[in-house]
Amino acid sequence: MNARDKIKPKSIRVAILSALADGAITTIDDLQTTLDVPRKKVVDNAVHAANDNLIKRMRDDVTGLA
């Protein structure tokens, strides 16, 4: 391991916050691909992070989904 290797957070919530740190709007599918964890785990933790006001959930104009 060298200084350029990415460190993988042990907490899924920290991993979600790190993935969203650049401020770009990201879909659940993109988060799932980036984090390489099951979709249910991403959705459950994203919901809890939104309930704790750590992230903001938005609705897709086309599908109406979060």
Side-chain angles (χ1 to χ4, degrees), residues 12-38:
I12 183 69
R13 192 141 345 149
V14 171
I16 289 172
L17 294 174
S18 295
L20 297 173
D22 64 358
I25 297 174
T26 306
T27 64
I28 292 292
D29 291 332
D30 290 341
L31 282 175
Q32 180 186 3
T33 303
T34 301
L35 302 177
D36 194 32
V37 294

Side-chain angles (χ1 to χ4, degrees), residues 4-5 9-10 13-14 18-20 25 29-30 34 36 39 44 47-48 52 54-56 59-61:
R4 294 176 205 198
D5 291 340
K10 291 184 180 186
R13 192 141 345 149
V14 171
S18 295
L20 297 173
I25 297 174
D29 291 332
D30 290 341
T34 301
D36 194 32
R39 182 180 179 85
D44 289 347
V47 167
H48 289 296
D52 292 341
L54 299 174
I55 62 174
K56 181 178 176 185
R59 296 234 175 251
D60 184 344
D61 293 338

